Structures are given as C-alpha cells and as structure tokens.
C-alpha cells in the first residue's frame, strides 16, 4: 500500500474517531435530560463519570493527528483537515464538560426540572443538541452548506437564552422561586448556550476545511 493511500485511510479513520467521540457526547447529553425527567439521580452521577472517558478520546485523537503531521508530508488540503480535526475535538470535549457541569447542577437542584423555572429551557436544550449533532455531521461529511446553516441557527439559541433569563427575573421579582436555584438554572442555560457556540465553532472549522480561510474559524 502506497504512503498516500495509507495516509488517506488514516484520514478516514480520523473522521470516524471524531464522529464516535461526538456521538458519545450527544448520547450523554440526551441521557442527562432523560434521567432528569425520570428523576434518576444515580444515572446522572454516572453521566458525570463518563466525562473522563470523553477526555481520553480527545487525547487519543490529538495523538493520531500529531502522528499524521509528523509521519507524513501533508499537502495544504490535508493539513487543513488534520488541523481542523485537532480544533474540533477540543470543542467536542468542552461540550462534554458542559454536560457534566449541568449534571452537577441538576443534582444540586435536587432533580427539580428546569421547566419549573422556564418553559423555554427544554426547547433551548433541544435546539442546542441538534445544532451540535448537525455541526459534527457537516464536518465529517465535508458539507459546507450544512455548516453554514448550523452557524445561522446560533441566533435561535441566543434568543432562547434571553427568554430563560427574562423568566428567571420574573421569578425573582415575584419571589416564587429560590434565588440560588434561579442562579443555577441560569447557569444551565449558559452551558446550553456554550454548547451551541461549540457547534458554531465546529461549523466554522468545516468551512476552514473547504476554503482555507482562517477568518472562518474561531481560534480560541
């Protein structure tokens, strides 16, 4: 097998690894809200432990990317793919961190559902996870148009965040909810907003793969 064919095969494996890592985060995310609905605290505690496995997956993918860069002599297009892969797994891992952060908050809230504080938070959660799923799919499939659509949807999540914030302010004004609990729910909404931001980042790294325009990607 020629070095070029071997390299292309390893690039395909890289995409598969990225897809598998994101699937694990997505499953954890959906499992969190299902466990919350079922008031299953033990399952939520297990979800917090899965975060370490996701971090291990990130390190393994980073190692493979660096190995590709050092063992091969990638042309510009290949270099963009590997570089974008390195960046995308960081966004995926951080999204996983936010799932664990939300799990901790829900335990602190004694499994009190977010719908008791704002009717907009669960729809926000649904939109954020769909953005995350679609962004990774666009990256793996090299779908520039799908990536642009994900980026455009960021405003939807931002609007949900503002509505959740307004609902919580009303709760505090009317003194219908505990202030500390409202702060925790606001943090949950903020983590959801950050997950959507990571989806936007992933979409922008797909555009970088296609165009090479560094202005399309967030470097932080």
């Amino acid at each position: 097998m020629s070095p070029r064919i071997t390299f292309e095969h390893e690039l395909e494996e890289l995409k598969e690894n990225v897809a598998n890592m994101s699937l694990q985060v997505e499953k954890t995310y959906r499992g969190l809200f299902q466990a919350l609905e079922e008031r299953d605290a033990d399952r939520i505690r297990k979800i917090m432990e899965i975060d370490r496995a996701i971090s291990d997956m990130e390190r393994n993918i980073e190692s493979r990317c660096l190995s590709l860069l050092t063992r091969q002599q990638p042309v510009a297009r290949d270099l963009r793919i590997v570089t974008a892969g390195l960046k995308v797994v960081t966004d995926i891992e951080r999204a996983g961190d936010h799932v664990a952060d939300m799990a901790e908050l829900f335990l602190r809230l004694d499994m009190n559902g977010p719908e008791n504080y704002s009717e907009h938070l669960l729809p926000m959660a649904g939109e954020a996870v769909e953005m995350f799923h679609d962004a990774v799919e666009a990256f793996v499939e090299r779908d520039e148009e799908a990536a642009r659509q994900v980026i455009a949807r960021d405003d939807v999540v931002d609007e949900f965040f503002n509505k959740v914030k307004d609902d919580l302010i009303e709760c505090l004004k009317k003194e219908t909810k505990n202030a500390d609990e409202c702060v925790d729910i606001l943090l949950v909404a903020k983590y959801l907003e950050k997950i959507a931001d990571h989806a936007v980042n992933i979409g922008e790294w797909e555009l970088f793969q296609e165009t090479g325009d560094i202005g399309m990607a967030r470097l932080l």
Side-chain angles (χ1 to χ4, degrees):
M1 186 178 294
S2 70
R4 179 62 201 178
I5 293 176
T6 299
F7 183 68
E8 290 179 351
H9 178 70
E10 290 179 322
L11 286 179
E12 286 299 314
E13 287 185 339
L14 173 61
K15 289 199 300 184
E16 290 177 7
N17 291 336
V18 169
N20 288 336
M21 181 182 174
S22 69
L23 179 60
Q24 183 62 62
V25 172
E26 185 179 337
K27 287 172 61 178
T28 304
Y29 184 113
R30 296 185 188 277
L32 170 63
F33 283 91
Q34 183 179 355
L36 181 63
E37 182 180 357
E38 297 171 357
R39 299 185 62 82
D40 189 341
D42 288 339
R43 186 178 177 187
I44 288 184
R45 292 188 185 94
K46 291 178 181 178
I47 285 172
M48 294 172 65
E49 296 173 359
I50 293 174
D51 184 53
R52 289 193 289 271
I54 293 171
S55 295
D56 289 340
M57 295 175 76
E58 177 195 23
R59 286 190 289 270
N60 289 336
I61 294 173
E62 287 176 339
S63 178
R64 290 178 69 92
C65 287
L66 293 174
S67 177
L68 282 171
L69 292 174
T70 56
R71 288 189 296 103
Q72 305 287 347
Q73 293 181 340
V75 297
R77 173 181 172 275
D78 299 331
L79 187 58
R80 292 202 303 269
I81 294 173
V82 178
T83 301
L86 278 168
K87 292 292 186 178
V88 163
V89 294
T90 298
D91 279 299
I92 294 173
E93 193 275 335
R94 287 177 179 171
D97 285 344
H98 298 326
V99 175
D101 292 333
M102 288 189 293
E104 182 177 354
L105 287 170
F106 287 142
L107 288 175
R108 193 160 74 191
L109 286 162
D110 196 26
M111 309 296 291
N112 198 2
E115 69 278 3
N116 295 317
Y117 299 86
S118 171
E119 64 179 344
H120 299 104
L121 201 143
L122 289 181
M124 180 184 182
E127 180 64 23
V129 73
E130 291 302 324
M131 280 183 64
F132 179 79
H133 171 88
D134 293 347
V136 175
E137 186 174 79
F139 180 82
V140 171
E141 298 298 328
R142 305 289 301 274
D143 190 333
E144 183 177 348
E145 179 56 32
R148 294 184 186 278
Q149 291 176 10
V150 169
I151 293 168
R153 286 159 60 188
D154 190 44
D155 289 342
V156 176
V157 173
D158 289 343
E159 182 62 25
F160 271 128
F161 179 79
N162 290 331
K163 289 179 179 178
V164 171
K165 184 171 62 176
D166 290 342
D167 289 343
L168 293 173
I169 289 172
E170 282 301 308
C171 287
L172 292 173
K173 284 181 179 178
K174 296 177 180 178
E175 298 183 350
T176 57
K177 298 294 181 183
N178 177 279
D180 289 339
E181 292 177 358
C182 288
V183 170
D184 284 346
I185 290 295
L186 184 62
L187 285 173
V188 169
K190 192 63 182 177
Y191 288 134
L192 292 173
E193 184 185 45
K194 288 182 177 180
I195 289 172
D197 287 342
H198 290 305
V200 170
N201 289 352
I202 294 168
E204 290 179 340
W205 283 112
E206 156 52 19
L207 300 185
F208 169 74
Q209 280 192 124
E210 309 306 327
T211 67
D213 185 355
I214 203 69
M216 289 291 184
R218 297 186 182 188
L219 301 182
L220 298 179

